[in-house]
Amino acid sequence: MFKMIYNIARTELQMLFYSPVAWLILVVFGVQAGILFADNIAGLVSSQEMGYSVAGASMSIFTSPWGGIFPSIQNYLYFYIPLLTMSLVSKELSSGSIRLLYSSPITNFQIIVGKFLSMMIYGLFMIGILFLIVLCSWGVVKDFDWPMVFTGLLGLYLLICAYAAIGIFMSSLTSYQIVAAIGTFAVLMMLSMVGGWWQEYDLVRDVTYWLAMSGRSGKFIAGLICSEDLLYFIIVVCLFLALTIIRLNAVRQKIRFVITLGRNLGVILLVCVLGYITSMPQMKVYYDATATKSNTLTPNSQEIVAKLDGGMTITTYINALDPGASWYAAFHFLKPDMERFDQYLRFKPDMKLKYVYYYDTTANPQLDRRFPNKTLREKMIEVCKIYGMDSNRFMTPEKIREKIDLSGEGNTFVRQIVRDNGQKAWLRIYNDMQRFPSEREITAAFKRMVMELPKVGIVQGHGERSFYGNKDRDYSAFANDKAFRHSLLNQGFDVEEVTLDEQVPVHINIMMIADMRDWLSPEQEANLQQYIDRGGNLFILGEPKRRDVMNKLFAKFGYEMTTGVLVKQDTNLLADVIISYPTKEAADSIAYDFGTMRRYKMAMSTPSVAGLEKIADKGYKETIMFKTDTIGVWNELETTDFVDDTVRLNPAIGEVEKIYTTVVALSKKVGDREQKIVLTGDADCISNGEFGRRVPTVRTSNYTLITGSFFWLSDNEVPIDVRRPPLPDDKVYVAKTGAAVIKWSFMVIIPLLLAVAGILIWVRRKGR
């Protein structure tokens, strides 16, 4: 049997390569792949010569969704395969040679598998062209990521095989080759669309979504082998080969239509069952081939998920009247939304995902203006009409309120995590481009359930900044803004108000004092000193206008704020808006976030800031976290109107031009723990208004002062450390001349050699 299959495959390959079509496709495919490769190499060379990092060069060349070779090739493959498969069976039907095959001792199974084997071998020729590119990349890229790239090649090859199986089936349905090609295109289009069909019905959602072929090789290209995707290609290939065999058997043996239909439906039903089983989280097996395991949860997240014993459900609440965000998880988008938790389902496959649809009052002025005189239900019905939704599936406000109180979340898109032991936590979306929580936020929510996280007490009662309001100078975004990704609330901290009228509660791990206007009473100062003496951590933000008060506090740690306001003459900014830069010491010993700022040349805007100077040794180890520019900054003592007046350096009155420290970290051993303190010369740097400032000449990242400082103050507990090892492929060994050689080799020479080979074989065949 196997010898017959081999003979059929060999015959098909001979006929294929004796025709110009097969060679033309290889030439066009080679030119296309060569152009993509040459462009990507040239881009990396240019970036490297300009001093930019090219870390992840393997990914940039092959797997990047923005111009990578594999994603681009994936989008064009369906153009090539139907042109090859359209004649595999239809030519036998049109020429009548199928009768000769039927009269010979060859089974339909052998015929079809032999023809499919020929296409598998041809697919290897296409992959071989890409392999030449891989070999070249291995020679020019430092620490080339072989496993990831080979996984991408496997995904593309499986996609070619699936397309070939579909093409063979369509070719068996007609004796017209063009019709077979068009039919193949139609089936491929249907398989790319079926994932969006009937998604509103729970019983068929998983099946239709599994049947979709679009994006199936995407995980392979990204360097992840998932058993579901691997089995999908195998099952789809077997499905269409089986349908082809059934079709030929019906013609050859003149089987009744009802029997043939029953066999087809039986095969399709079996495939649906297998697809459903293989797509279950408990049945999936993974292999992450990337160098840094970028498709897998980081070790910290894995450790936390491992502690989540027992059942757990994540319920997504979707308000029809929410201004837009709810439709990310509408009926038609449930499966893509569920995939946001794939990495967690991998390590906790018993986690359940549920969706609840309702309508209730929420802030949506646009909808109010559009339907000013309609009730809530009437507005919901209008919205459902727009999006093609079934309004009967939305719970009324009364019913949803009986089930859960979402008023604290503003009745907006929100997820609630509930463990079987009763523990609960929230997951939200945020007002930024990413919108959905990343691994850092999701794992922080899980971590709340497995350990006691640090509590932050914000001192109030002495004129300090508020963390409840929404004014520019308030700290609501810093502390508890549910829509701000980097707020303490969303990064795993609990925040509460603290007064110093009594001793600071023992559960407070970190205390924040910002822009204090009035000094403490003796009793309050004693309570503060008791917290300091017990080794409590502090985050203290000064303000030049409150120097007299804040210096009393700073003096407890051997520091004071300099006189005046730091200024710099800058045409792009007001003179008192100073740019502070993270130090290497902050990156090395405080938090990795500051290293990220340094790597990407980011800074922090500090408006109306004072410098910090050491005045006494209180036994603390000092780490300067942020400093001003190397030149041009001084402490202005005369000018107060920085809008209309011009600042001028006047050393005679004590104005000093130098590098000033604006943020400092202090630490020392207190008992069995290390006390940590952060002092700043500015309180506006983490205010609501400053997060939105855009500086023309530098990228600012003020929120990093929050994430970095509190990571250190919480003893590296939260925000969650989701770092991965640095990408090793960070250098390209060619310059512009080498890139030009690569361009000509893969865009011209290799395709030309393929064309010459095809012409020689074709001429030789003609001569015979």
Side-chain angles (χ1 to χ4, degrees):
M1 180 180 70
F2 296 107
K3 183 177 181 181
M4 190 61 68
I5 291 174
Y6 167 75
N7 289 333
I8 293 173
R10 184 182 63 180
T11 302
E12 286 295 335
L13 281 173
Q14 287 176 345
M15 297 177 63
L16 194 61
F17 281 104
Y18 284 150
S19 71
V21 174
W23 290 102
L24 179 62
I25 288 175
L26 286 179
V27 170
V28 173
F29 182 78
V31 170
Q32 184 182 47
I35 291 173
L36 293 168
F37 182 44
D39 288 345
N40 286 331
I41 284 291
L44 288 174
V45 169
S46 296
S47 297
Q48 184 170 271
E49 290 183 352
M50 289 188 291
Y52 295 108
S53 172
V54 294
S58 307
M59 186 181 301
S60 299
I61 296 171
F62 290 98
T63 68
S64 171
W66 299 282
I69 295 174
F70 290 167
S72 301
I73 291 295
Q74 175 188 232
N75 294 332
Y76 292 111
L77 270 181
Y78 73 93
F79 285 121
Y80 301 118
I81 306 304
L83 299 177
L84 295 166
T85 60
M86 66 182 182
S87 63
L88 283 177
V89 181
S90 61
K91 68 183 178 184
E92 311 284 1
L93 298 173
S94 62
S95 66
S97 59
I98 192 70
R99 296 188 185 93
L100 296 175
L101 291 174
Y102 286 166
S103 63
S104 61
I106 303 176
T107 64
N108 288 330
F109 175 83
Q110 292 170 333
I111 295 172
I112 297 307
V113 173
K115 291 178 178 291
F116 178 69
L117 179 59
S118 70
M119 292 306 304
M120 291 181 66
I121 295 173
Y122 184 87
L124 289 176
F125 280 92
M126 300 180 72
I127 295 299
I129 294 174
L130 295 178
F131 184 69
L132 292 177
I133 294 176
V134 172
L135 284 177
C136 180
S137 300
W138 170 67
V140 301
V141 174
K142 172 181 172 288
D143 293 327
F144 184 68
D145 196 347
W146 274 99
M148 178 191 70
V149 175
F150 271 116
T151 301
L153 284 175
L154 173 63
L156 291 179
Y157 182 65
L158 291 172
L159 187 63
I160 291 173
C161 293
Y163 285 172
I166 296 169
I168 291 174
F169 171 67
M170 296 307 300
S171 180
S172 72
L173 298 179
T174 177
S175 60
Y176 298 99
Q177 297 182 19
I178 297 300
V179 174
I182 294 174
T184 304
F185 284 124
V187 173
L188 294 179
M189 181 180 68
M190 184 186 72
L191 287 176
S192 68
M193 297 170 57
V194 69
W197 294 354
W198 306 305
Q199 292 295 292
E200 63 269 32
Y201 304 111
D202 297 338
L203 292 177
V204 298
R205 179 187 301 121
D206 291 336
V207 175
T208 57
Y209 194 76
W210 179 86
L211 284 171
M213 187 174 289
S214 59
R216 274 292 174 181
S217 57
K219 289 181 181 177
F220 287 94
I221 291 173
L224 179 68
I225 299 177
C226 176
S227 60
E228 178 192 6
D229 298 312
L230 182 62
L231 291 173
Y232 170 84
F233 285 112
I234 295 173
I235 292 171
V236 165
V237 167
C238 293
L239 166 66
F240 282 98
L241 293 183
L243 293 177
T244 308
I245 294 170
I246 292 172
R247 158 68 178 166
L248 293 185
N249 283 338
V251 174
R252 187 174 190 175
Q253 302 173 11
K254 301 190 182 304
I255 299 174
R256 289 166 48 189
F257 173 77
V258 175
I259 297 176
T260 301
L261 179 62
R263 290 175 177 175
N264 285 328
L265 292 178
V267 170
I268 294 173
L269 179 61
L270 176 62
V271 165
C272 291
V273 172
L274 291 174
Y276 181 79
I277 293 173
T278 57
S279 64
M280 297 173 62
Q282 297 86 343
M283 301 298 294
K284 294 182 183 179
V285 179
Y286 300 85
Y287 171 68
D288 191 347
T290 58
T292 60
K293 306 301 177 186
S294 59
N295 299 301
T296 306
L297 291 178
T298 56
N300 280 343
S301 294
Q302 292 182 40
E303 181 182 351
I304 292 167
V305 173
K307 296 178 181 178
L308 292 168
D309 55 335
M312 184 173 71
T313 302
I314 300 179
T315 304
T316 303
Y317 294 94
I318 304 166
N319 184 355
L321 305 182
D322 192 16
S326 296
W327 304 109
Y328 286 118
F331 304 138
H332 297 87
F333 306 110
L334 277 190
K335 294 298 290 185
D337 186 73
M338 291 177 177
E339 288 178 349
R340 304 182 200 279
F341 296 95
D342 272 359
Q343 290 191 359
Y344 289 90
L345 284 167
R346 174 178 172 182
F347 295 96
K348 189 170 178 58
D350 62 338
M351 184 171 65
K352 299 177 182 177
L353 302 176
K354 293 185 178 180
Y355 292 81
V356 174
Y357 297 88
Y358 73 101
Y359 66 96
D360 204 346
T361 304
T362 190
N364 192 345
Q366 183 178 0
L367 194 63
D368 295 337
R369 289 193 298 269
R370 188 170 183 179
F371 307 111
N373 300 316
K374 293 185 180 293
T375 64
L376 283 179
R377 177 166 179 79
E378 289 171 339
K379 290 178 181 178
M380 181 270 295
I381 292 174
E382 293 294 336
V383 170
C384 288
K385 288 179 181 178
I386 295 172
Y387 290 96
M389 306 277 284
D390 182 3
S391 60
N392 294 319
R393 298 188 65 173
F394 287 82
M395 298 173 63
T396 64
E398 294 75 22
K399 287 186 177 180
I400 191 64
R401 291 169 191 169
E402 291 176 4
K403 186 179 182 70
I404 187 173
D405 181 12
L406 296 172
S407 60
E409 299 294 324
N411 291 326
T412 57
F413 183 103
V414 70
R415 308 184 203 266
Q416 188 180 49
I417 308 169
V418 181
R419 295 181 70 188
D420 286 354
N421 63 10
Q423 291 180 312
K424 299 178 181 180
W426 295 102
L427 277 179
R428 308 173 178 89
I429 60 172
Y430 310 110
N431 288 333
D432 55 29
M433 293 182 67
Q434 187 178 343
R435 298 294 281 168
F436 288 93
S438 65
E439 180 183 341
R440 178 183 264 191
E441 290 79 47
I442 296 173
T443 302
F446 288 157
K447 194 167 186 177
R448 287 180 180 275
M449 299 178 168
V450 298
M451 67 173 291
E452 191 73 22
L453 292 181
K455 302 292 191 300
V456 179
I458 300 184
V459 175
Q460 302 281 273
H462 317 91
E464 294 92 349
R465 302 286 181 92
S466 169
F467 66 102
Y468 290 115
N470 289 310
K471 297 179 181 178
D472 282 351
R473 287 167 56 81
D474 287 341
Y475 291 146
S476 58
F478 154 78
N480 56 17
D481 187 346
K482 296 173 181 177
F484 182 50
R485 179 183 303 275
H486 305 287
S487 68
L488 295 180
L489 178 69
N490 290 322
Q491 293 299 323
F493 294 92
D494 288 324
V495 181
E496 61 184 73
E497 182 179 310
V498 170
T499 64
L500 294 174
D501 296 330
E502 55 188 22
Q503 288 189 356
V504 179
V506 293
H507 67 269
I508 297 297
N509 310 92
I510 305 167
M511 196 160 66
M512 171 179 165
I513 305 175
D515 194 13
M516 182 186 295
R517 302 187 181 197
D518 303 312
W519 186 238
L520 310 173
S521 67
E523 294 79 7
Q524 292 171 337
E525 186 173 1
N527 290 329
L528 172 62
Q529 191 62 48
Q530 186 272 338
Y531 175 80
I532 296 172
D533 292 341
R534 83 183 195 201
N537 295 341
L538 283 157
F539 187 62
I540 303 175
L541 297 103
E543 186 69 22
K545 294 180 181 179
R546 321 290 178 216
R547 179 177 293 102
D548 292 342
V549 175
M550 294 303 298
N551 271 349
K552 295 179 182 179
L553 180 57
F554 280 23
K556 293 179 179 290
F557 312 104
Y559 270 81
E560 71 172 9
M561 301 169 63
T562 59
T563 57
V565 177
L566 299 186
V567 297
K568 180 181 179 180
Q569 289 182 330
D570 191 326
T571 57
N572 295 300
L573 297 168
L574 293 178
D576 66 333
V577 178
I578 300 300
I579 303 301
S580 296
Y581 297 88
T583 64
K584 185 178 184 301
E585 292 75 17
D588 293 340
S589 59
I590 302 298
Y592 66 93
D593 275 352
F594 301 126
T596 303
M597 288 186 70
R598 287 176 59 84
R599 186 162 59 252
Y600 293 103
K601 297 179 174 57
M602 294 188 290
M604 179 177 65
S605 58
T606 48
S608 184
V609 60
L612 300 177
E613 292 186 345
K614 188 174 183 179
I615 57 173
D617 186 356
K618 298 290 184 175
Y620 289 96
K621 175 187 175 183
E622 155 188 276
T623 303
I624 296 174
M625 292 173 58
F626 282 82
K627 297 192 296 187
T628 61
D629 273 341
T630 54
I631 57 172
V633 177
W634 71 88
N635 58 320
E636 179 62 37
L637 301 176
E638 294 178 309
T639 305
T640 57
D641 183 355
F642 299 105
V643 176
D644 297 321
D645 291 350
T646 301
V647 296
R648 293 180 178 83
L649 176 63
N650 187 358
I653 61 172
E655 295 178 352
V656 180
E657 180 181 355
K658 66 176 184 178
I659 299 172
Y660 285 88
T661 297
T662 55
V663 184
V664 67
L666 307 173
S667 62
K668 74 175 180 180
K669 197 75 172 178
V670 177
D672 59 349
R673 60 163 298 172
E674 183 181 17
Q675 183 180 44
K676 300 176 179 179
I677 298 166
V678 175
L679 307 176
T680 78
D682 174 43
D684 291 319
C685 58
I686 61 168
S687 64
N688 296 353
E690 206 57 31
F691 287 137
R693 182 188 291 274
R694 295 293 178 265
V695 178
T697 56
V698 68
R699 291 175 58 191
T700 57
S701 181
N702 282 36
Y703 69 81
T704 304
L705 180 63
I706 302 172
T707 57
S709 297
F710 279 83
F711 179 75
W712 183 64
L713 292 169
S714 67
D715 298 325
N716 303 350
E717 289 292 345
V718 277
I720 305 297
D721 184 357
V722 293
R723 282 178 296 173
R724 300 182 187 277
L727 293 167
D729 48 344
D730 56 0
K731 186 176 182 180
V732 180
Y733 293 128
V734 293
K736 289 185 176 179
T737 302
V741 172
I742 290 173
K743 178 179 179 180
W744 282 98
S745 298
F746 284 91
M747 288 178 56
V748 178
I749 297 176
I750 292 178
L752 188 60
L753 291 175
L754 289 171
V756 170
I759 292 172
L760 290 176
I761 292 176
W762 182 72
V763 169
R764 185 181 178 188
R765 175 67 173 174
K766 283 291 185 179
R768 289 182 178 180

